[in-house]
């Protein structure tokens, strides 16, 4: 059991980029954090695992462009930890490998603040591995040496090239891309073989990973020509002549596409699974969240008993209802004579999880089709119980009313905008090829938080006409709308572009 009384600060490595390289322990820390302090290289999907009420604090740290200074980062961590909050400091790769994690730990020790180190997968070997370069190989490299290629402004590169050039192991330089000429020159002028293998790996383990191979004498020119930028690894050694590539190899329909999912966490996670099968790179950044509205037990029971039909317009409604009746100890057999009707495949699947098959799903997954088609199944003896969002569309209640069908419209959840994501959204928006909006409330959150609406033009993929209408009203142009109103429809719409 996780004990916040014992844990104050965790310095957590989240790996080089591919979020599936996160360790189980890192995930546990993130899920329990009160405060997350994170660096520039952190994959935003990792932040999506945080609690809805956790504070997200960006510490920055792009070389030469510090958002918070190291002193300020240390102070921030200590401040929250001493006020009794559980602070998780997220760092790229491993916290003790060139990440200044040591300094942060020292600062905490001096202030008697309990902390732990949660090691992460480091870029220096995983970035190479994903590039098809094994850091050691029998007969090629019996050791490896990892250096920082960074120097403080105006200071010389503090590396002992005389000895380094003599080494017969693989040499890996981190933070070195801007100093590549100095590194190459340092090695060559100390007698290293100009034809030894060399490579640079940019954005290792990420969807946009680029790998360039050459020799020590040519790598500088290659990196310059290809405009290699940070974060990148430089590796020197004959292991670079091996090509054990496996990553990003298969060409799937959406390979190379970078797609942002903005839906609620559960929907984004579900969509991400399916999207990944198409080869797309997915970033989960939920801009909205679901807040359950509790209905009193007796009220819920009497509404169920009075109804002939129960209608769900989303999987959220399904999940919340079934979790509530479970909590209240209401027997599932109280639904035995009810017709259960859902708006689409997503809500249908959610229902299946509770061992219930939908009695009715419309042929098209929108409120208008739901209304038109369900009306054919209802008569004056029907009593409809709608369990849905607090701010739902008025298509269903209006339509039922004018058809003379009696109904109860019970809100079981509210949709709230996750304003914490505003910074992340605007920081990364230009990198995405497409932004998926999966509901009208999601569309509202997206437009409310984006600083420059023009950035969304031609990029937003909407799940259906209701969401598209909301986007148009909010001033977004060139929207791509799915023909089938679910994740398959969204994928199809993108494939056709
Ligand atoms: N603690 C980190 C390293 C921090 S120093 C780790 O263990 O990986 C930052 C440097 O790491 C970058 O300048 C770059 O050289 C390297 N780096 C981090 N992530 C990388 C990635 N995905 N691809 C290539 N290099 C990466």
């Amino acid at each position: 059991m996780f004990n916040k009384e014992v844990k104050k600060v965790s310095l957590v490595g989240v790996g080089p980029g591919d979020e599936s390289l996160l360790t189980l322990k890192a995930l546990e820390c993130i899920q329990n954090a009160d405060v997350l302090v994170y660096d520039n290289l952190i994959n935003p999907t990792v932040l999506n695992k945080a609690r809805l009420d956790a504070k997200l604090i960006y510490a920055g740290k792009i070389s030469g462009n510090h958002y918070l200074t190291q002193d300020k980062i240390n102070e921030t961590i200590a401040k929250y930890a001493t006020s009794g909050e559980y602070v998780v400091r997220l760092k790229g790769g491993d916290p003790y490998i060139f990440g200044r994690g040591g300094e942060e730990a020292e600062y905490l020790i001096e202030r008697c603040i309990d902390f732990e180190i949660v090691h992460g997968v480091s870029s220096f070997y995983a970035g190479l591995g994903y590039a098809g370069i094994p850091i050691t190989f029998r007969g090629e490299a019996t050791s490896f040496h990892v250096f920082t290629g960074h120097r403080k402004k105006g200071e010389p590169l503090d590396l002992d090239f005389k000895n380094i050039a003599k080494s017969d192991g693989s040499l890996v330089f981190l933070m070195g891309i801007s100093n590549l000429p100095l590194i190459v020159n340092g090695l060559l002028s100390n007698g290293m073989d100009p034809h030894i293998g060399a490579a640079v790996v940019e954005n290792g383990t990420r969807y946009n990973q680029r790998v360039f191979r050459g020799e020590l004498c040519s790598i500088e020119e290659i990196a310059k020509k290809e405009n290699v930028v940070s974060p990148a690894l430089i590796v020197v050694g004959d292991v670079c002549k091996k090509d054990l590539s496996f990553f990003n190899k298969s060409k799937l329909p959406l390979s190379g596409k970078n797609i942002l999912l903005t839906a609620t966490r559960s929907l984004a996670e579900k969509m991400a699974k399916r999207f990944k099968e198409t080869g797309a790179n997915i970033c989960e950044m939920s801009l909205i969240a679901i807040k359950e509205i509790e209905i009193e037990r007796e009220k819920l029971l009497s509404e169920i008993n009075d109804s002939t039909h129960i209608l769900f317009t989303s999987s959220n409604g399904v999940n919340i209802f079934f979790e509530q009746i479970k909590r209240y100890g209401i027997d599932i057999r109280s639904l035995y004579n009810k017709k259960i009707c859902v708006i689409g495949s997503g809500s249908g699947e959610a229902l299946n999880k509770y061992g219930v098959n939908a009695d009715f799903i419309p042929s098209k997954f929108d409120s208008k089709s739901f209304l038109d088609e369900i009306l054919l199944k209802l008569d004056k003896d029907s009593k409809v119980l709608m369990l849905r969002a607090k701010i739902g569309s008025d298509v269903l209640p209006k339509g039922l009313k004018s058809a003379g069908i009696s109904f109860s419209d019970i809100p079981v959840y509210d949709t709230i905008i996750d304003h914490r994501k505003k910074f992340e959204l605007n920081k990364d928006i230009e990198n995405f090829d497409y932004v998926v909006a999966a509901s009208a409330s999601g569309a509202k959150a997206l437009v409310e938080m984006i600083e420059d609406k023009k950035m969304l033009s031609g990029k937003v993929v909407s799940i259906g006409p209701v969401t598209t209408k909301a986007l148009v009203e909010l001033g977004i142009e060139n929207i791509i709308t799915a023909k089938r109103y679910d994740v398959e429809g969204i994928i199809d719409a993108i494939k056709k572009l």
Side-chain angles (χ1 to χ4, degrees):
M1 190 53 191
F2 187 84
N3 188 347
K4 254 177 60 173
E5 298 310 310
V6 178
K7 289 204 189 192
K8 293 284 179 257
V9 178
S10 299
L11 302 177
V12 177
V14 300
D18 176 349
E19 84 264 12
S20 56
L21 293 179
L22 201 70
T23 64
L24 294 175
K25 190 163 182 187
L27 181 62
E28 188 192 5
C29 295
I30 294 166
Q31 287 170 334
N32 284 292
D34 295 317
V35 181
L36 285 132
V37 183
Y38 63 99
D39 279 352
N40 185 54
L41 294 177
I42 305 302
N43 182 332
T45 298
V46 163
L47 299 176
N48 223 39
K49 315 274 178 216
R51 278 187 355 231
L52 199 56
D53 60 347
K55 282 189 201 68
L56 304 183
I57 300 173
Y58 177 65
K61 277 210 172 176
I62 314 170
S63 180
N65 177 14
H66 293 254
Y67 201 80
L68 295 184
T69 59
Q70 189 62 48
D71 286 347
K72 193 86 195 131
I73 294 170
N74 293 346
E75 283 165 25
T76 305
I77 297 170
K79 181 184 93 185
Y80 285 109
T82 42
S83 69
E85 304 210 64
Y86 172 46
V87 183
V88 171
R89 167 76 171 119
L90 299 177
K91 303 173 86 68
D94 185 276
Y96 274 174
I97 298 175
F98 299 134
R100 302 186 74 173
E103 286 165 61
E104 290 173 18
E106 210 165 49
Y107 186 92
L108 296 170
I109 289 172
E110 282 163 13
R111 281 151 192 83
C112 301
I113 298 171
D114 292 334
F115 75 98
E116 68 175 349
I117 295 296
V118 178
H119 289 287
V121 172
S122 179
S123 65
F124 84 77
Y125 56 89
L128 294 191
Y130 271 53
I133 302 168
I135 194 163
T136 67
F137 199 95
R138 212 160 91 108
E140 301 289 350
T142 48
S143 66
F144 57 81
H145 311 264
V146 184
F147 306 95
T148 166
H150 180 68
R151 55 175 182 166
K152 283 192 185 153
K153 257 202 181 117
E155 285 180 20
L157 202 53
D158 188 19
L159 291 175
D160 177 8
F161 283 114
K162 209 163 144 198
N163 275 316
I164 297 171
K166 280 193 219 135
S167 153
D168 59 358
S170 311
L171 309 178
V172 187
F173 298 87
L174 277 71
M175 299 186 282
I177 207 68
S178 56
N179 289 327
L180 183 58
L182 294 178
I183 293 168
V184 169
N185 184 44
L187 295 173
L188 287 177
S189 61
N190 283 286
M192 201 158 197
D193 176 4
H195 299 296
I196 194 167
V200 284
V201 182
E202 181 191 82
N203 281 310
T205 81
R206 302 186 184 154
Y207 76 102
N208 52 349
Q209 167 177 299
R210 297 198 302 158
V211 184
F212 301 102
R213 291 159 195 269
E215 295 180 333
L216 181 57
C217 56
S218 62
I219 198 69
E220 185 187 336
E221 204 186 309
I222 297 172
K224 198 170 159 204
K225 187 171 135 253
E226 301 291 349
N227 190 26
V228 174
V229 293
S230 181
L233 303 157
I234 302 163
V235 53
V236 178
D238 279 336
V239 287
C240 297
K241 294 183 178 162
K242 297 272 167 213
D243 185 359
L244 311 183
S245 308
F246 67 94
F247 179 60
N248 270 350
K249 275 204 106 165
S250 49
K251 203 74 192 120
L252 292 162
L254 298 187
S255 288
K257 298 282 180 238
N258 192 21
I259 298 175
L260 176 68
L261 303 180
T262 61
T264 57
R265 195 161 135 183
S266 62
L267 183 56
E269 276 173 8
K270 204 177 120 202
M271 284 182 156
K273 238 185 221 154
R274 178 64 194 102
F275 259 108
K276 283 178 187 165
E277 291 166 5
T278 68
N281 174 63
I282 291 302
C283 174
E284 295 165 40
M285 195 190 289
S286 301
L287 303 182
I288 49 171
I290 296 303
K291 222 173 163 187
E292 178 177 339
I293 298 173
E294 201 142 342
I295 312 159
E296 276 175 31
R297 187 179 185 279
E298 293 318 308
K299 161 123 175 103
L300 188 61
L301 249 183
S302 78
E303 288 287 355
I304 295 171
N305 290 337
D306 286 351
S307 67
T308 56
H309 293 73
I310 302 180
L311 264 57
F312 294 102
T313 57
S314 72
S315 50
N316 297 320
V318 173
N319 291 330
I320 287 169
F321 171 72
F322 280 91
E323 292 307 320
Q324 267 189 17
I325 63 169
K326 194 156 90 189
R327 251 195 341 260
Y328 286 151
I330 297 174
D331 195 294
I332 194 119
R333 284 168 293 184
S334 56
L335 306 176
Y336 82 100
N337 58 350
K338 316 292 168 199
K339 296 281 181 220
I340 313 267
C341 312
V342 295
I343 198 166
S345 59
S347 34
E349 280 163 28
L351 199 58
N352 294 152
K353 276 200 320 235
Y354 298 98
V356 181
N357 295 338
D359 292 294
F360 171 83
I361 303 183
S363 58
K364 280 188 101 181
F365 307 155
D366 64 304
S367 314
K368 177 84 176 58
S369 311
F370 196 19
L371 174 70
D372 292 346
E373 294 178 32
I374 195 111
L375 281 177
L376 304 174
K377 312 256 173 207
L378 302 173
D379 57 34
K380 61 173 183 18
D381 297 325
S382 306
K383 172 86 180 35
V384 173
L385 171 59
M386 276 192 288
L387 299 166
R388 53 186 204 135
K390 191 170 168 195
I391 312 168
S393 117
D394 58 3
V395 172
L396 281 168
K398 261 190 180 160
L400 290 173
K401 197 169 171 197
S402 62
I405 308 286
S406 69
F407 68 93
S408 293
D409 188 4
I410 308 278
V412 287
Y413 66 94
D414 204 358
T415 309
I416 55 164
I417 297 183
D418 189 351
H419 287 102
R420 298 174 309 169
K421 306 284 174 66
K422 182 171 177 175
F423 175 76
E424 231 26 51
L425 174 71
N426 288 290
K427 179 164 80 70
D428 291 340
I429 190 70
E430 63 183 325
N431 301 332
F432 294 106
D433 300 302
Y434 301 108
V435 179
V436 175
S439 67
S441 48
K444 184 168 169 274
L446 173 64
V447 182
E448 192 174 309
M449 280 194 264
I450 197 89
E451 275 158 12
D452 180 4
K453 280 189 203 173
K454 282 202 286 302
M455 296 296 291
L456 295 176
S457 178
K459 267 191 188 181
V460 182
V461 187
S462 148
I463 196 166
V466 178
T467 304
T468 300
K469 186 166 168 268
L471 286 160
V472 171
E473 283 167 6
L474 292 161
I476 303 303
E477 292 169 357
N478 300 322
I479 301 154
I480 304 141
T481 306
K483 295 228 160 38
R484 186 186 145 146
Y485 312 148
D486 60 6
V487 64
E488 297 307 326
I490 295 170
I491 290 172
D492 277 346
I494 298 176
K495 274 189 199 162
K496 289 204 180 94
L497 293 169

